[in-house]
Amino acid sequence: MTTITKPKHFLSIADLTPEGLTTLLQRAAAFKAGRESTRLAGRTLALLFEKPSLRTRVSFHVAMRQLEGDCLYLSPEEVGLGKREAVRDIAAVLSRYVDALAVRTFAQENLDLLARYGSIPVINALTDDEHPCQALADVLTLWERRGGPRGLTLAYIGDANNCANSLLYATTMLGTSFRIASPVGYQLQPERLRKAQGYAARSGATVFLTEDPGEAVRGADAVYTDVWTSMGQEREQALRQEAFAGYQVTAALLAAAKPGAILLHPLPAHHGEEVAEGVLYLPASAVFDQAENRLHVQKAVLATLLEG
Ligand code: CP
Ligand code: NVA
């Protein structure tokens, strides 16, 4: 997505330029403030979901309805992506009925196929690799609570998963430094790190990796965590609980960050695992604003892809 040509899809934060990302976030803030009047009457979004969802499903549905468009949900059983029907054929058929697709699936390649063989915009509503709509909401929340994004530092504690990957790209593109504490075996992939280091070199941000959560949160404006076992990894749960045992975000860890630092979590949270009981309800927690912001950022994405 760029500000120069009309974007076709939103599959990864890496599809955006820093300018495109900033424009999208400004547009999201304008929707939130009631200053944006784009409407999508007569347009239909299909949600094609292979994994469960509360926030993504509801916020996309409500976003389309508030923009005067329509939205329909296709469950895993109905779709059978690549099982009941070839991904290519699903893309071609849905392109004849609806105006855009928001897809929650496992492999990022499924999105690429839908984008290649369909003739309508495809939005990543979470894959194993990325959760770009979440990263937009994360950064908007950071702006609202801590100013920025330039000169801020975010500390991510836990699994270098889909949320971490998208957030790594979004923060470093915009000049927010990214610190991550993960155990060996669950760290950022080298090619993602290299890409983010490129963004950081241009924006003035830094990227820092450690195994020590205490070291990561030092001087951070935000402490971010996500589940240790993502959807689709359930068989690894026992192994992961052991690996991440020292990575719980507690009130004490939050207090070791910069005074006024906020807590972010994409939700759903597992209380007593990656976040200690009660920590989500501390005054520092911005997680429900973050969840609300999914609605505003997705309106900006939909308007950008569908208007005209
Ligand atoms: N954060 C998020 O994407 O939540 P859901 O899985 O409930 O959609
Ligand atoms: N990493 C989590 C995010 C859920 C919104 C998962 O993929 O299950």
Side-chain angles (χ1 to χ4, degrees):
M1 250 154 93
T2 73
T3 47
I4 300 149
T5 50
K6 186 167 162 55
K8 286 182 76 172
H9 305 289
F10 183 43
L11 308 181
S12 162
I13 290 288
D15 290 349
L16 301 164
T17 60
E19 297 72 28
L21 176 55
T22 304
T23 303
L24 206 51
L25 288 164
Q26 285 167 342
R27 195 162 191 188
F31 269 116
K32 187 169 185 175
R35 287 186 278 105
E36 167 62 74
S37 59
T38 303
R39 292 293 176 265
L40 300 174
R43 319 302 289 279
T44 302
L45 171 73
L47 303 176
L48 199 74
F49 279 28
E50 292 203 293
K51 298 179 182 180
S53 170
L54 175 71
R55 279 144 291 273
T56 309
R57 178 179 174 177
V58 176
S59 56
F60 265 117
H61 187 103
V62 171
M64 276 310 278
R65 298 308 293 262
Q66 289 182 355
L67 296 176
E68 297 169 13
D70 212 342
C71 187
L72 59 94
Y73 173 77
L74 298 161
S75 68
E77 303 73 44
E78 284 161 323
V79 180
L81 208 60
K83 298 183 201 95
R84 180 171 186 265
E85 192 159 3
V87 179
R88 178 178 183 158
D89 299 352
I90 292 174
V93 170
L94 286 174
S95 297
R96 304 294 178 104
Y97 299 138
V98 301
D99 300 285
L101 282 181
V103 184
R104 171 165 287 201
T105 184
F106 295 89
Q108 187 83 13
E109 292 71 42
N110 283 340
L111 282 191
D112 298 335
L113 287 175
L114 288 164
R116 186 179 330 149
Y117 292 115
S119 56
I120 54 176
V122 176
I123 300 167
N124 183 346
L126 182 148
T127 60
D128 291 346
D129 286 2
E130 278 212 49
H131 197 0
C133 295
Q134 183 64 54
L136 295 179
D138 301 342
V139 174
L140 182 61
T141 312
L142 195 58
W143 282 17
E144 291 173 340
R145 293 290 191 109
R146 300 293 295 172
R150 275 190 190 280
L152 296 180
T153 298
L154 180 141
Y156 184 102
I157 310 300
D159 190 18
N161 62 15
N162 44 12
C163 290
N165 290 335
S166 293
L167 189 58
L168 168 74
Y169 293 163
T171 49
T172 52
M173 254 189 209
L174 294 173
T176 294
S177 291
F178 188 88
R179 301 167 73 89
I180 181 164
S182 319
V184 172
Y186 300 94
Q187 293 165 332
L188 288 175
Q189 288 168 9
E191 67 273 20
R192 294 197 185 279
L193 183 59
R194 270 194 298 277
K195 192 189 269 286
Q197 281 166 336
Y199 295 144
R202 289 187 285 279
S203 70
T206 57
V207 185
F208 175 76
L209 276 71
T210 175
E211 288 173 47
D212 177 3
E215 191 179 21
V217 302
R218 212 171 296 145
D221 297 274
V223 176
Y224 193 116
T225 191
D226 185 19
V227 292
W228 295 337
T229 304
S230 285
M231 292 179 280
Q233 298 172 334
E234 290 76 9
R235 272 179 304 185
E236 300 171 25
Q237 189 164 2
L239 198 66
R240 285 173 169 270
Q241 271 176 338
E242 205 174 305
F244 288 103
Y247 288 80
Q248 187 182 69
V249 174
T250 59
L253 188 70
L254 202 50
K258 205 185 259 183
I262 58 166
L263 171 71
L264 294 170
H265 190 308
L267 305 177
H270 295 161
H271 300 266
E273 288 189 27
E274 77 280 0
V275 271
E277 294 287 352
V279 166
L280 223 56
Y281 313 115
L282 292 174
S285 170
V287 301
F288 299 112
D289 284 354
Q290 190 185 356
E292 178 192 328
N293 283 336
R294 293 291 304 278
L295 175 67
H296 309 298
V297 299
Q298 285 158 203
K299 278 185 184 171
V301 170
L302 290 164
T304 306
L305 292 171
L306 283 175
E307 70 192 344

